[in-house]
Amino acid sequence: MESLAIHLPEVSAAPVLLTAVLVFAILYRHRRNARGNPKGFPNPPGPKPLPLIGNLLDIPRTDESSTYQDLAKQYGDLVYLSTMGTSILLVSSFKTAGDLFERRSTNYSDRFQSPMSHDLMGWDFSFAHMVYGDRWKKHRRVFHHQFQPSIAPSYYPIQTREAHGLLRRFLRSPDTLDYNLRQNAASLVMKVTYGIQIADTNDAYVAIAGKALEGAAMATSPGAFLVDFIPFLKHVPEWVPRASFKRRAREWRDAVTHMRNDPFNTVVNEMKSGTAPPSFVSNLLSDMESKGNVTEEDANLIKNCAALVYAASAESTVSTLSTFVLAMLTYPDIQARAQKELDSVVGRDRLPEFSDRDSLPYLSAILKEVLRWNPVAPLGLPHVVSHDDVYNGYYIPAGTIVIGNAWGIFNDETIYPDPRRFNPDRFMGEGDKGLQHLSPMDPLSAAFGYGRRACPGRYMGESQVWISIASILSVFDIKPALDEMGRPIHVTPEFSKTGMICHPVPFKYAMKPRDNAARLLIEQTELN
């Protein structure tokens, strides 16, 4: 396990001075935290901390979710780590997650203000990362207004068109899975959010957002950068030998700034010329203008929420759909069963529609199992405890970073027997009608976050994935690719669980129309 200690020399221009400052900071924060611990209540169990550095060596920088799951197997569903005055609590059971994030949500809804992502990279605009308070509530209210369950069906027409566009991409370029999915996700989110039609290749908006999200995925995981544990390191000049995190943060900050500003400014200019199509941004700006002048605060609020739509949806859609393709490739019997259900309900002379959804329970079960088998954000965004708490006889100090380990929850054999097997039948019981009926008390809800910080765009996101997988299975067969000798290439499912978003490790596959009728159906979507 690679540890943070390996990277400690990156910021060392004067080792002796740095060591002295580190020791002082660690001792000060340790004494400050120790004073608040009530007598008789121990911290939750966890690996024994070392002198001065605590559990620094126990915090992984790669494959975090699996490492944390191993700790849970050793210490239980609550695992406590502490390093340099920072406390981290790992939650690896759905019951405990519900007790803390749902039933004690007023105390477990804050966010860690990462010096790397907030101060250096410019993600302080994101209400997903904001502290729990009035500013966060204003942003959430605007976001929820446009993406609440009752509004979600209004996006069905554009989601259907984009699903058909994805079919055409696979027909033209069946081997470029990642590129096709990224272009498709970007096309949808840019249309919905800004009314912007992206270019088929080398789109500037997509490129800059990709750069911004690359940094976000790396910086969100606790332990990725030492500056999150020793905040004064953010003041180290970029020219200091081996202070590479400052250069990377500057590059990512430039991308974040452009991602937030450029498409928003395009909409504003189009509204001035009367050419702006309806979108999340133009609708909100028009609504505010009808009530009076749009203040700078109003504009920034809309700009912030719009940028988060892209950040929250594009990468997660790519991860979910690539996991779906991998599942169908490695479990052909499940693919065949889903196609049989589609053929019996939809037939072979048209493509699936959202109105077919309630009649396709096995397809909905496949989507649920995709989310469980490879959760998009296996560790989610960490919560922070606002006030000292005692849970099950354990003391949890204020300021503790609390991580809901969705990967661990979804691999809990007591809830999901044989968890590494892709098995949609586990969701075919009575009452399992689809994600639109998923309650916060269902363990699968962990795929969307917890409590008051659960993903507010989940309804639009899961509907886009559903229509995409229904459309793909109705007209394509997903089969093994062939090697130079014409032999099927065996694929073993593997996932890259480093950073915020979990993707399948790249794999070979073949995707071909099921027959000529299916090819014609795909080609005819160009005319619609």
Side-chain angles (χ1 to χ4, degrees), residues 361-376:
Y362 193 66
L363 199 68
S364 292
I366 286 177
L367 174 51
K368 285 187 172 184
E369 182 67 346
V370 164
L371 294 173
R372 185 206 66 81
W373 196 47
N374 177 35
V376 169

mmCIF file with all atom_site columns, all heavy atoms in Angstrom, residues 361-376:
data_model
loop_
_atom_site.group_PDB
_atom_site.id
_atom_site.type_symbol
_atom_site.label_atom_id
_atom_site.label_alt_id
_atom_site.label_comp_id
_atom_site.label_asym_id
_atom_site.label_entity_id
_atom_site.label_seq_id
_atom_site.pdbx_PDB_ins_code
_atom_site.Cartn_x
_atom_site.Cartn_y
_atom_site.Cartn_z
_atom_site.occupancy
_atom_site.B_iso_or_equiv
_atom_site.pdbx_formal_charge
_atom_site.auth_seq_id
_atom_site.auth_comp_id
_atom_site.auth_asym_id
_atom_site.auth_atom_id
_atom_site.pdbx_PDB_model_num
ATOM 1   N N   . PRO A 1 361 ? -39.154 -5.165  -15.909 1.00 0.00 ? 361 PRO A N   1
ATOM 2   C CA  . PRO A 1 361 ? -38.554 -5.250  -14.569 1.00 0.00 ? 361 PRO A CA  1
ATOM 3   C C   . PRO A 1 361 ? -37.137 -5.809  -14.568 1.00 0.00 ? 361 PRO A C   1
ATOM 4   O O   . PRO A 1 361 ? -36.315 -5.409  -13.746 1.00 0.00 ? 361 PRO A O   1
ATOM 5   C CB  . PRO A 1 361 ? -39.518 -6.172  -13.807 1.00 0.00 ? 361 PRO A CB  1
ATOM 6   C CG  . PRO A 1 361 ? -40.199 -6.975  -14.869 1.00 0.00 ? 361 PRO A CG  1
ATOM 7   C CD  . PRO A 1 361 ? -40.344 -6.036  -16.038 1.00 0.00 ? 361 PRO A CD  1
ATOM 8   N N   . TYR A 1 362 ? -36.844 -6.751  -15.483 1.00 0.00 ? 362 TYR A N   1
ATOM 9   C CA  . TYR A 1 362 ? -35.499 -7.324  -15.479 1.00 0.00 ? 362 TYR A CA  1
ATOM 10  C C   . TYR A 1 362 ? -34.468 -6.289  -15.924 1.00 0.00 ? 362 TYR A C   1
ATOM 11  O O   . TYR A 1 362 ? -33.347 -6.258  -15.411 1.00 0.00 ? 362 TYR A O   1
ATOM 12  C CB  . TYR A 1 362 ? -35.434 -8.552  -16.393 1.00 0.00 ? 362 TYR A CB  1
ATOM 13  C CG  . TYR A 1 362 ? -34.172 -9.367  -16.189 1.00 0.00 ? 362 TYR A CG  1
ATOM 14  C CD1 . TYR A 1 362 ? -33.938 -10.023 -14.985 1.00 0.00 ? 362 TYR A CD1 1
ATOM 15  C CD2 . TYR A 1 362 ? -33.221 -9.473  -17.196 1.00 0.00 ? 362 TYR A CD2 1
ATOM 16  C CE1 . TYR A 1 362 ? -32.781 -10.776 -14.790 1.00 0.00 ? 362 TYR A CE1 1
ATOM 17  C CE2 . TYR A 1 362 ? -32.063 -10.220 -17.012 1.00 0.00 ? 362 TYR A CE2 1
ATOM 18  C CZ  . TYR A 1 362 ? -31.844 -10.864 -15.807 1.00 0.00 ? 362 TYR A CZ  1
ATOM 19  O OH  . TYR A 1 362 ? -30.695 -11.593 -15.609 1.00 0.00 ? 362 TYR A OH  1
ATOM 20  N N   . LEU A 1 363 ? -34.836 -5.421  -16.848 1.00 0.00 ? 363 LEU A N   1
ATOM 21  C CA  . LEU A 1 363 ? -33.935 -4.361  -17.282 1.00 0.00 ? 363 LEU A CA  1
ATOM 22  C C   . LEU A 1 363 ? -33.648 -3.403  -16.123 1.00 0.00 ? 363 LEU A C   1
ATOM 23  O O   . LEU A 1 363 ? -32.506 -2.964  -15.936 1.00 0.00 ? 363 LEU A O   1
ATOM 24  C CB  . LEU A 1 363 ? -34.536 -3.604  -18.461 1.00 0.00 ? 363 LEU A CB  1
ATOM 25  C CG  . LEU A 1 363 ? -33.548 -2.796  -19.299 1.00 0.00 ? 363 LEU A CG  1
ATOM 26  C CD1 . LEU A 1 363 ? -32.613 -3.722  -20.059 1.00 0.00 ? 363 LEU A CD1 1
ATOM 27  C CD2 . LEU A 1 363 ? -34.285 -1.891  -20.263 1.00 0.00 ? 363 LEU A CD2 1
ATOM 28  N N   . SER A 1 364 ? -34.680 -3.094  -15.341 1.00 0.00 ? 364 SER A N   1
ATOM 29  C CA  . SER A 1 364 ? -34.471 -2.244  -14.168 1.00 0.00 ? 364 SER A CA  1
ATOM 30  C C   . SER A 1 364 ? -33.587 -2.940  -13.142 1.00 0.00 ? 364 SER A C   1
ATOM 31  O O   . SER A 1 364 ? -32.763 -2.298  -12.474 1.00 0.00 ? 364 SER A O   1
ATOM 32  C CB  . SER A 1 364 ? -35.815 -1.878  -13.534 1.00 0.00 ? 364 SER A CB  1
ATOM 33  O OG  . SER A 1 364 ? -36.562 -1.023  -14.383 1.00 0.00 ? 364 SER A OG  1
ATOM 34  N N   . ALA A 1 365 ? -33.739 -4.255  -13.026 1.00 0.00 ? 365 ALA A N   1
ATOM 35  C CA  . ALA A 1 365 ? -32.891 -5.013  -12.104 1.00 0.00 ? 365 ALA A CA  1
ATOM 36  C C   . ALA A 1 365 ? -31.436 -4.991  -12.557 1.00 0.00 ? 365 ALA A C   1
ATOM 37  O O   . ALA A 1 365 ? -30.517 -4.936  -11.738 1.00 0.00 ? 365 ALA A O   1
ATOM 38  C CB  . ALA A 1 365 ? -33.393 -6.447  -11.991 1.00 0.00 ? 365 ALA A CB  1
ATOM 39  N N   . ILE A 1 366 ? -31.212 -5.035  -13.862 1.00 0.00 ? 366 ILE A N   1
ATOM 40  C CA  . ILE A 1 366 ? -29.841 -4.940  -14.394 1.00 0.00 ? 366 ILE A CA  1
ATOM 41  C C   . ILE A 1 366 ? -29.232 -3.601  -14.011 1.00 0.00 ? 366 ILE A C   1
ATOM 42  O O   . ILE A 1 366 ? -28.069 -3.526  -13.591 1.00 0.00 ? 366 ILE A O   1
ATOM 43  C CB  . ILE A 1 366 ? -29.843 -5.131  -15.925 1.00 0.00 ? 366 ILE A CB  1
ATOM 44  C CG1 . ILE A 1 366 ? -30.079 -6.601  -16.266 1.00 0.00 ? 366 ILE A CG1 1
ATOM 45  C CG2 . ILE A 1 366 ? -28.526 -4.645  -16.538 1.00 0.00 ? 366 ILE A CG2 1
ATOM 46  C CD1 . ILE A 1 366 ? -30.174 -6.889  -17.749 1.00 0.00 ? 366 ILE A CD1 1
ATOM 47  N N   . LEU A 1 367 ? -29.992 -2.522  -14.145 1.00 0.00 ? 367 LEU A N   1
ATOM 48  C CA  . LEU A 1 367 ? -29.472 -1.208  -13.784 1.00 0.00 ? 367 LEU A CA  1
ATOM 49  C C   . LEU A 1 367 ? -29.124 -1.158  -12.298 1.00 0.00 ? 367 LEU A C   1
ATOM 50  O O   . LEU A 1 367 ? -28.071 -0.629  -11.912 1.00 0.00 ? 367 LEU A O   1
ATOM 51  C CB  . LEU A 1 367 ? -30.495 -0.129  -14.136 1.00 0.00 ? 367 LEU A CB  1
ATOM 52  C CG  . LEU A 1 367 ? -30.155 1.306   -13.692 1.00 0.00 ? 367 LEU A CG  1
ATOM 53  C CD1 . LEU A 1 367 ? -28.758 1.715   -14.127 1.00 0.00 ? 367 LEU A CD1 1
ATOM 54  C CD2 . LEU A 1 367 ? -31.182 2.292   -14.211 1.00 0.00 ? 367 LEU A CD2 1
ATOM 55  N N   . LYS A 1 368 ? -29.980 -1.702  -11.469 1.00 0.00 ? 368 LYS A N   1
ATOM 56  C CA  . LYS A 1 368 ? -29.685 -1.727  -10.034 1.00 0.00 ? 368 LYS A CA  1
ATOM 57  C C   . LYS A 1 368 ? -28.399 -2.503  -9.751  1.00 0.00 ? 368 LYS A C   1
ATOM 58  O O   . LYS A 1 368 ? -27.560 -2.080  -8.948  1.00 0.00 ? 368 LYS A O   1
ATOM 59  C CB  . LYS A 1 368 ? -30.847 -2.350  -9.261  1.00 0.00 ? 368 LYS A CB  1
ATOM 60  C CG  . LYS A 1 368 ? -32.059 -1.450  -9.110  1.00 0.00 ? 368 LYS A CG  1
ATOM 61  C CD  . LYS A 1 368 ? -33.082 -2.105  -8.189  1.00 0.00 ? 368 LYS A CD  1
ATOM 62  C CE  . LYS A 1 368 ? -34.227 -1.158  -7.866  1.00 0.00 ? 368 LYS A CE  1
ATOM 63  N NZ  . LYS A 1 368 ? -35.181 -1.732  -6.897  1.00 0.00 ? 368 LYS A NZ  1
ATOM 64  N N   . GLU A 1 369 ? -28.249 -3.640  -10.418 1.00 0.00 ? 369 GLU A N   1
ATOM 65  C CA  . GLU A 1 369 ? -27.075 -4.464  -10.174 1.00 0.00 ? 369 GLU A CA  1
ATOM 66  C C   . GLU A 1 369 ? -25.806 -3.806  -10.705 1.00 0.00 ? 369 GLU A C   1
ATOM 67  O O   . GLU A 1 369 ? -24.724 -3.960  -10.124 1.00 0.00 ? 369 GLU A O   1
ATOM 68  C CB  . GLU A 1 369 ? -27.270 -5.853  -10.794 1.00 0.00 ? 369 GLU A CB  1
ATOM 69  C CG  . GLU A 1 369 ? -26.139 -6.829  -10.561 1.00 0.00 ? 369 GLU A CG  1
ATOM 70  C CD  . GLU A 1 369 ? -25.955 -7.275  -9.110  1.00 0.00 ? 369 GLU A CD  1
ATOM 71  O OE1 . GLU A 1 369 ? -26.537 -6.639  -8.199  1.00 0.00 ? 369 GLU A OE1 1
ATOM 72  O OE2 . GLU A 1 369 ? -25.226 -8.259  -8.870  1.00 0.00 ? 369 GLU A OE2 1
ATOM 73  N N   . VAL A 1 370 ? -25.913 -3.039  -11.775 1.00 0.00 ? 370 VAL A N   1
ATOM 74  C CA  . VAL A 1 370 ? -24.769 -2.272  -12.272 1.00 0.00 ? 370 VAL A CA  1
ATOM 75  C C   . VAL A 1 370 ? -24.300 -1.289  -11.202 1.00 0.00 ? 370 VAL A C   1
ATOM 76  O O   . VAL A 1 370 ? -23.094 -1.160  -10.931 1.00 0.00 ? 370 VAL A O   1
ATOM 77  C CB  . VAL A 1 370 ? -25.128 -1.528  -13.579 1.00 0.00 ? 370 VAL A CB  1
ATOM 78  C CG1 . VAL A 1 370 ? -24.097 -0.446  -13.891 1.00 0.00 ? 370 VAL A CG1 1
ATOM 79  C CG2 . VAL A 1 370 ? -25.216 -2.503  -14.744 1.00 0.00 ? 370 VAL A CG2 1
ATOM 80  N N   . LEU A 1 371 ? -25.245 -0.601  -10.591 1.00 0.00 ? 371 LEU A N   1
ATOM 81  C CA  . LEU A 1 371 ? -24.896 0.378   -9.552  1.00 0.00 ? 371 LEU A CA  1
ATOM 82  C C   . LEU A 1 371 ? -24.295 -0.295  -8.325  1.00 0.00 ? 371 LEU A C   1
ATOM 83  O O   . LEU A 1 371 ? -23.407 0.282   -7.672  1.00 0.00 ? 371 LEU A O   1
ATOM 84  C CB  . LEU A 1 371 ? -26.140 1.171   -9.150  1.00 0.00 ? 371 LEU A CB  1
ATOM 85  C CG  . LEU A 1 371 ? -26.739 2.072   -10.232 1.00 0.00 ? 371 LEU A CG  1
ATOM 86  C CD1 . LEU A 1 371 ? -28.065 2.655   -9.758  1.00 0.00 ? 371 LEU A CD1 1
ATOM 87  C CD2 . LEU A 1 371 ? -25.781 3.186   -10.624 1.00 0.00 ? 371 LEU A CD2 1
ATOM 88  N N   . ARG A 1 372 ? -24.755 -1.499  -8.016  1.00 0.00 ? 372 ARG A N   1
ATOM 89  C CA  . ARG A 1 372 ? -24.200 -2.210  -6.866  1.00 0.00 ? 372 ARG A CA  1
ATOM 90  C C   . ARG A 1 372 ? -22.837 -2.824  -7.179  1.00 0.00 ? 372 ARG A C   1
ATOM 91  O O   . ARG A 1 372 ? -21.900 -2.732  -6.391  1.00 0.00 ? 372 ARG A O   1
ATOM 92  C CB  . ARG A 1 372 ? -25.162 -3.331  -6.436  1.00 0.00 ? 372 ARG A CB  1
ATOM 93  C CG  . ARG A 1 372 ? -24.724 -4.053  -5.159  1.00 0.00 ? 372 ARG A CG  1
ATOM 94  C CD  . ARG A 1 372 ? -25.247 -5.470  -5.094  1.00 0.00 ? 372 ARG A CD  1
ATOM 95  N NE  . ARG A 1 372 ? -24.682 -6.333  -6.114  1.00 0.00 ? 372 ARG A NE  1
ATOM 96  C CZ  . ARG A 1 372 ? -23.492 -6.914  -6.010  1.00 0.00 ? 372 ARG A CZ  1
ATOM 97  N NH1 . ARG A 1 372 ? -22.726 -6.717  -4.952  1.00 0.00 ? 372 ARG A NH1 1
ATOM 98  N NH2 . ARG A 1 372 ? -23.039 -7.687  -6.988  1.00 0.00 ? 372 ARG A NH2 1
ATOM 99  N N   . TRP A 1 373 ? -22.733 -3.444  -8.333  1.00 0.00 ? 373 TRP A N   1
ATOM 100 C CA  . TRP A 1 373 ? -21.526 -4.188  -8.715  1.00 0.00 ? 373 TRP A CA  1
ATOM 101 C C   . TRP A 1 373 ? -20.307 -3.278  -8.782  1.00 0.00 ? 373 TRP A C   1
ATOM 102 O O   . TRP A 1 373 ? -19.220 -3.639  -8.368  1.00 0.00 ? 373 TRP A O   1
ATOM 103 C CB  . TRP A 1 373 ? -21.789 -4.858  -10.056 1.00 0.00 ? 373 TRP A CB  1
ATOM 104 C CG  . TRP A 1 373 ? -20.852 -5.952  -10.446 1.00 0.00 ? 373 TRP A CG  1
ATOM 105 C CD1 . TRP A 1 373 ? -20.428 -6.989  -9.684  1.00 0.00 ? 373 TRP A CD1 1
ATOM 106 C CD2 . TRP A 1 373 ? -20.264 -6.128  -11.744 1.00 0.00 ? 373 TRP A CD2 1
ATOM 107 N NE1 . TRP A 1 373 ? -19.601 -7.811  -10.411 1.00 0.00 ? 373 TRP A NE1 1
ATOM 108 C CE2 . TRP A 1 373 ? -19.484 -7.308  -11.678 1.00 0.00 ? 373 TRP A CE2 1
ATOM 109 C CE3 . TRP A 1 373 ? -20.316 -5.420  -12.944 1.00 0.00 ? 373 TRP A CE3 1
ATOM 110 C CZ2 . TRP A 1 373 ? -18.761 -7.784  -12.774 1.00 0.00 ? 373 TRP A CZ2 1
ATOM 111 C CZ3 . TRP A 1 373 ? -19.614 -5.902  -14.039 1.00 0.00 ? 373 TRP A CZ3 1
ATOM 112 C CH2 . TRP A 1 373 ? -18.839 -7.059  -13.948 1.00 0.00 ? 373 TRP A CH2 1
ATOM 113 N N   . ASN A 1 374 ? -20.498 -2.096  -9.315  1.00 0.00 ? 374 ASN A N   1
ATOM 114 C CA  . ASN A 1 374 ? -19.409 -1.118  -9.374  1.00 0.00 ? 374 ASN A CA  1
ATOM 115 C C   . ASN A 1 374 ? -19.967 0.265   -9.065  1.00 0.00 ? 374 ASN A C   1
ATOM 116 O O   . ASN A 1 374 ? -20.307 1.026   -9.970  1.00 0.00 ? 374 ASN A O   1
ATOM 117 C CB  . ASN A 1 374 ? -18.744 -1.104  -10.755 1.00 0.00 ? 374 ASN A CB  1
ATOM 118 C CG  . ASN A 1 374 ? -17.667 -0.037  -10.844 1.00 0.00 ? 374 ASN A CG  1
ATOM 119 O OD1 . ASN A 1 374 ? -16.971 0.239   -9.874  1.00 0.00 ? 374 ASN A OD1 1
ATOM 120 N ND2 . ASN A 1 374 ? -17.544 0.594   -12.007 1.00 0.00 ? 374 ASN A ND2 1
ATOM 121 N N   . PRO A 1 375 ? -20.109 0.625   -7.790  1.00 0.00 ? 375 PRO A N   1
ATOM 122 C CA  . PRO A 1 375 ? -20.629 1.950   -7.446  1.00 0.00 ? 375 PRO A CA  1
ATOM 123 C C   . PRO A 1 375 ? -19.749 3.047   -8.040  1.00 0.00 ? 375 PRO A C   1
ATOM 124 O O   . PRO A 1 375 ? -18.522 2.996   -7.933  1.00 0.00 ? 375 PRO A O   1
ATOM 125 C CB  . PRO A 1 375 ? -20.599 1.961   -5.918  1.00 0.00 ? 375 PRO A CB  1
ATOM 126 C CG  . PRO A 1 375 ? -19.633 0.888   -5.527  1.00 0.00 ? 375 PRO A CG  1
ATOM 127 C CD  . PRO A 1 375 ? -19.720 -0.153  -6.601  1.00 0.00 ? 375 PRO A CD  1
ATOM 128 N N   . VAL A 1 376 ? -20.385 4.014   -8.668  1.00 0.00 ? 376 VAL A N   1
ATOM 129 C CA  . VAL A 1 376 ? -19.652 5.084   -9.359  1.00 0.00 ? 376 VAL A CA  1
ATOM 130 C C   . VAL A 1 376 ? -18.680 5.782   -8.417  1.00 0.00 ? 376 VAL A C   1
ATOM 131 O O   . VAL A 1 376 ? -17.512 5.992   -8.747  1.00 0.00 ? 376 VAL A O   1
ATOM 132 C CB  . VAL A 1 376 ? -20.645 6.090   -9.963  1.00 0.00 ? 376 VAL A CB  1
ATOM 133 C CG1 . VAL A 1 376 ? -19.905 7.333   -10.444 1.00 0.00 ? 376 VAL A CG1 1
ATOM 134 C CG2 . VAL A 1 376 ? -21.406 5.451   -11.103 1.00 0.00 ? 376 VAL A CG2 1
#
